[in-house]
Structure formats: C-alpha cells, structure tokens
Amino acid sequence: MSTTNRLRVAIVGSGPSGFYAAEHLLKREPAVEIDLFDRLPTPFGLVRGGVAPDHQKIKSVTRVFEKIAANPAVRFFGNVTIGQDLSRADLLRCYHAVIYAYGAETDRALGIPGEHLAGSHAATDFVGWYNGHPDYRERAFDLSQESVAVIGMGNVAVDVVRILARTPEELGSTDITDYALDALRLSRVREIYMIGRRGPVQGAFTNPELKELGEMDGADIRVRADELVLDPASERLLAGHKAAEKNLTTLRHFAARAGTGKPRTIHVRFLLSPVELQGRRRVERLMLGRNRLVAGRNGDLKAEATGDRETLPVGLVFRSVGYFGSALPGVPFDPGRGIIPNDRGRVTGPAGQPEAGEYAVGWIKRGPSGVIGTNKPDAVETTDLLLEDARAGTLNAAPEPEPTAVERLLADRGIRVVSWADWLKIDELERRQGAAAGRPRLKLTRVEDMLAVLETSDV
Ligand code: NAP
C-alpha cells in the first residue's frame, strides 16, 4: 500500500464489469481509491454502445453505475487509451492493482469463401453503428437490399434482426442515432433470415428476446414446422431444460401462425451453416449447408454437414457468431480464446503463475457470454481475490502511488482527460436534445464533438 495507506486500484474499462468491480471494492475496503479508465469520453461500455436502442429498460442499470461513480473514492479518466496514452508499465508504477475490464471488442469471423465481399458485415459493426459508437459511425450498410441474412442464434443476432424489422415509428422514440434512423427509414429490406447451425433446442437466445420477434408492428414471423422436429438426443436434452422448452413452445406458436401481410418477414431457420458467400462484386447469394446433430465431446450436440445444400438470394449478410477479445500491449493474452489468461480473475503469466497485482473481470476474463447481471458475481469473485492478496501483501509494489502521479503523466502527454463532471455535461446535453425531440437522448457520436462541447461554457 502507499505512504498514505490507501489501496490504489486502476480499472481499465467502464462497462458493467468495471463498475461492478468498483462497487464491490468500495463495499469491502474503506481505504480503497479507484481510477476508472475508458478510451471513450463516455462511460458504460456496451450499455451505451451495445444494448439495443429499443431496450431502454435494460439501460436503466446506468443509474446504479452513476451512484458508484459519484463516490468520492472513484475518479473517471475518460478519453484515455490504455496501451497508447498510458502503458501497462505506467499503471503498475501508479497502482497496487490493475483490473482489466475492457470486454471483447472485435468479432469472430466465419472463415468461409466470400466473407470479405461487399455487403458482408460483422453484426457488431452494425450494432456499433446504430448505437452511435464513434468507431462505427462512418460504416455504411446497403439497406436497399431486399433480403438479408443474419448468421447466428444469439441475442445479438436477435437484436440485429429486430432493428432491421422495426418500423421507423417504433424506432423513433428510442435513442437510436439520427443517421441510422434516416437510413432505416429508407430501408427496402423485406425478407430477414436468422440462421442457426444447430436446432431449436440449441438456440442461444433468451425467451423474452425470441418472443419479441413475434410482436413486431411491421414484420410477420415464419418458422418451418419441419425444422422444429427434434432428433432423439435433442428430445432427451429438452427434458428438464426449462429455457429450451420455453423457446420450443414459442417457436411452435410461430410455426402455427399464418402470415398477416405485414411488409417484412422474419424467417427463423435451423440446422443450416453458411458455406460460401457468392456474388461478382458484392454479396448476391448465401450458400448454406444442411446439418444434422451428432454427439459432441462435452455431452452437447454439434452440427455435422449432411452434404445437402440450399442457396438463399441475399444482398446483405451479418455474421453474429460472437464477440472476441483483443490484447493490450504487454498484458498476457490467450489468442485462441480471446481472453486474458486468469485463475478466477487473477491474471496468469506464461507459466501459469499469477501476475502480482493484475486482475481481469467480465468478457476479457471469461469470454463474451452472459447478460449484464452475470458480470456482478464475476466481479465479486475477482475483487475478493484482489482483497485477499492485499491482506497477504502480494499486490504490486507501485513506486508512485500518489493520486497525482497519473494526472501528471497524462498532462505531460497532452491527453485531454474527460472527468466524470465532464461526462455529466455531455450526458445533460444529450438528454436535453433528446427531450426536445421526444426521445431519451440524442447521442453525440464523434469524440471531437464531445470534446468541443466541454470547451463551451453554456452546456
Ligand atoms: P452467443 O450468445 O454466444 O451466440 C452466438 C451464436 O453464434 C450461437 O447461436 C452460435 O451457435 C452461433 N455460431 C458460432 N459460431 C458459428 C459458426 N461458425 N457458424 C454458425 N453459427 C455460429 O453470442 P452473442 O449473440 O454475440 O451474445 C453475446 C452475449 O451477450 C450473450 O451472452 C448474449 O445473451 C448477451 N446479450 C444479451 C442481450 C439481452 O439480454 N437482450 C442482448 C445482446 C447480447 P452454436 O450455439 O451452435 O455455437
């Protein structure tokens, strides 16, 4: 601990896992001081940049995070990129412990021919675009296409399908960015295919999200009854698997529905893997291979190609097969899993030994799974170990633990740090502009615009 006897902790990333780690430290250690870093001027990670705009209720978790940030023992350092503005070595000079909470920022590829044709995108890019994440605001998606395929059966795939299927009126009361709303208003998308490589029992979506697909103002849902026929192993898995049972019931209801003539149709398809994206200059067709389910290694069922093929005429494809973590310079990284190697949250080095004073929480610890709340017990596990290490005296030595040391480093490097008070100004402006338009907020989507707002005194 420092000369002032405070436990100084840096948290890299201000999404749910970072905030839950801060919350638990504050609860358990009265002598803690926490600096929360984010490369964006805005906090909340995927709650701001990932959660769909038509799911505003989920975003209300930010009220919990705001209380945590208001604690005088917490400082926010927005607009600071770790690995660029501050190195891992800088953090280890200034803090007794560093918690990596920076999530999984990139996406998984399909690894099939044609994946790089125009019109083929990562779903995560589309999500970042409609949510106004500064990194994705310049992306363009050709919504003049009539048929779109979304590969994957997780909740991100469902989000993308839903946003494509929503009417402008449904989206008009959300905090979707104006440029996305304008583009979606002109959308000519009619047929939206959500494609799963396994069967209905193996869908990764949750039931409320699945049900919502059947409640769109402007889209019918179509499920093929023949694709809901279960193989004996899936039948056995279903017994006692409440979530899968619910999903199957919902899907059977959908399959029994007749179309109602809405302008769009959502097609949910099972047991099909993307084999190739075809087209001359851009995606024109998606070749799919039919699968059967066979026993996998861990008692689960995996997809195996039957050799049968089917081609869908689609002009736009979103792969939604999972996020993937990236490395921070100098920090141990497992490139196969896209996580920081760790033992229950203690970062481990090449020989499996714990790295003194380094910890991981959230998706960069366990991979991109679970809902926002999953990050709470995850952060508790890690921070309990951190506090155990603090008691054992095995944290990082931190030669410069004074709170001013990091401020000095950043000032010397000319970094415009965005404080919590600064963020509150941006927040206030976004809400005010939103209220004038009858929407929760109108997001600023360029870092320059956010910083410019802070230079004017009338916000
Ligand atoms: P996910 O839940 O892991 O789903 C990934 C999907 O991609 C699975 O259906 C998977 O199928 C499929 N897939 C993987 N590789 C594939 C391949 N090569 N070809 C075809 N399909 C492939 O991931 P996610 O949708 O990105 O979501 C990440 C996490 O965020 C999840 O825990 C999710 O619940 C959460 N989330 C929650 C909400 C919400 O609560 N509303 C919203 C968004 C995200 P297999 O099962 O066969 O591997």
Side-chain angles (χ1 to χ4, degrees):
M1 289 221 195
S2 75
T3 44
T4 54
N5 233 13
R6 313 295 287 176
L7 170 62
R8 304 260 312 131
V9 180
I11 299 180
V12 180
S14 67
S17 66
F19 268 106
Y20 286 132
E23 181 181 47
H24 193 64
L25 285 173
L26 290 166
K27 218 179 261 172
R28 288 292 152 89
E29 175 51 69
V32 74
E33 285 175 357
I34 298 167
D35 289 348
L36 196 52
F37 292 90
D38 205 293
R39 71 183 177 88
L40 291 179
T42 54
F44 308 141
L46 280 178
V47 178
R48 179 178 167 100
V51 172
D54 58 342
H55 279 177
Q56 288 297 313
K57 246 199 202 154
I58 296 182
K59 289 179 193 251
S60 61
V61 69
T62 56
R63 287 205 278 276
V64 175
F65 302 156
E66 281 161 0
K67 278 197 193 127
I68 298 165
N71 189 307
V74 177
R75 299 188 299 181
F76 179 63
F77 288 76
N79 200 36
V80 177
T81 302
I82 304 302
Q84 185 181 306
D85 303 329
L86 288 176
S87 65
R88 172 197 190 215
D90 293 329
L91 293 180
L92 292 175
R93 258 207 315 281
C94 301
Y95 298 94
H96 303 109
V98 179
I99 302 177
Y100 300 107
Y102 62 89
E105 275 192 321
T106 57
D107 72 290
R108 270 182 195 281
L110 293 168
I112 58 171
E115 191 167 7
H116 302 293
L117 280 172
S120 161
H121 304 276
T124 52
D125 288 10
F126 187 60
V127 170
W129 173 76
Y130 64 62
N131 273 325
H133 189 297
D135 289 359
Y136 303 98
R137 71 168 320 285
E138 305 299 342
R139 300 294 161 98
F141 303 93
D142 182 4
L143 299 171
S144 70
Q145 300 296 327
E146 288 201 0
S147 293
V148 181
V150 181
I151 312 292
M153 284 277 171
N155 279 332
V156 171
V158 176
D159 282 348
V160 167
V161 167
R162 214 177 52 250
I163 296 300
L164 287 167
R166 287 265 188 227
T167 62
E169 293 70 33
E170 285 174 303
L171 292 172
S173 57
T174 74
D175 65 353
I176 193 167
T177 54
D178 275 344
Y179 59 76
L181 187 56
D182 289 345
L184 288 162
R185 219 186 284 279
L186 299 175
S187 165
R188 293 171 60 186
V189 169
R190 292 287 170 266
E191 311 299 325
I192 306 164
Y193 297 88
M194 186 165 85
I195 296 168
R197 63 177 169 184
R198 297 193 290 160
V201 172
Q202 290 81 25
F205 38 66
T206 40
N207 193 253
E209 276 66 24
L210 177 63
K211 273 190 173 156
E212 219 179 342
L213 291 183
E215 296 159 3
M216 301 283 107
D217 285 354
D220 286 320
I221 188 149
R222 190 163 297 169
V223 176
R224 287 168 46 157
D226 61 326
E227 289 186 345
L228 298 184
V229 176
L230 301 185
D231 58 288
S234 290
E235 283 283 9
R236 282 195 297 277
L237 276 180
L238 193 63
H241 191 330
K242 282 265 173 302
E245 270 178 8
K246 264 190 177 174
N247 284 343
L248 190 62
T249 304
T250 304
L251 288 163
R252 284 184 174 146
H253 282 305
F254 288 162
R257 276 193 199 174
T260 62
K262 290 179 181 173
R264 294 187 170 124
T265 306
I266 297 168
H267 306 261
V268 185
R269 299 290 314 270
F270 294 101
L271 292 164
L272 292 169
S273 277
V275 173
E276 184 176 359
L277 302 185
Q278 300 171 337
R280 260 178 306 164
R281 291 219 177 84
R282 52 163 301 112
V283 176
E284 294 168 21
R285 291 172 303 279
L286 167 62
M287 189 194 276
L288 296 163
R290 175 141 306 271
N291 298 322
R292 67 168 81 87
L293 293 179
V294 296
R297 253 181 294 161
N298 314 319
D300 58 349
L301 294 177
K302 66 180 179 86
E304 183 183 79
T306 63
D308 291 345
R309 298 279 159 98
E310 173 176 341
T311 302
L312 278 184
V314 294
L316 201 52
V317 174
F318 294 102
R319 57 181 180 278
S320 183
V321 295
Y323 283 81
F324 200 74
S326 42
L328 264 191
V331 178
F333 186 68
D334 177 344
R337 296 181 60 203
I339 61 165
I340 295 177
N342 68 88
D343 177 9
R344 292 165 295 151
R346 282 188 182 112
V347 174
T348 51
Q353 80 290 2
E355 298 278 348
E358 288 181 279
Y359 302 86
V361 291
W363 281 7
I364 201 61
K365 168 186 174 184
R366 65 173 196 275
S369 66
V371 294
I372 292 169
T374 313
N375 294 297
K376 199 168 176 163
D378 175 299
V380 166
E381 177 183 58
T382 295
T383 44
D384 274 344
L385 291 178
L386 187 160
L387 294 172
E388 193 180 302
D389 295 345
R391 285 190 293 276
T394 58
L395 288 181
N396 172 53
E400 293 181 55
E402 303 74 30
T404 49
V406 72
E407 291 174 321
R408 229 178 10 251
L409 274 180
L410 289 166
D412 287 350
R413 293 171 190 176
I415 307 302
R416 171 41 163 122
V417 174
V418 173
S419 66
W420 194 256
D422 287 337
W423 152 246
L424 291 179
K425 284 185 197 163
I426 296 171
D427 185 40
E428 213 272 311
L429 177 77
E430 288 186 346
R431 284 179 197 271
R432 189 158 18 99
Q433 292 186 342
R439 303 172 56 184
R441 69 170 67 234
L442 282 184
K443 285 181 191 165
L444 296 177
T445 58
R446 287 191 181 91
V447 170
E448 314 86 89
D449 293 349
M450 298 176 196
L451 299 183
V453 159
L454 301 178
E455 303 318 316
T456 58
S457 54
D458 58 343
V459 275

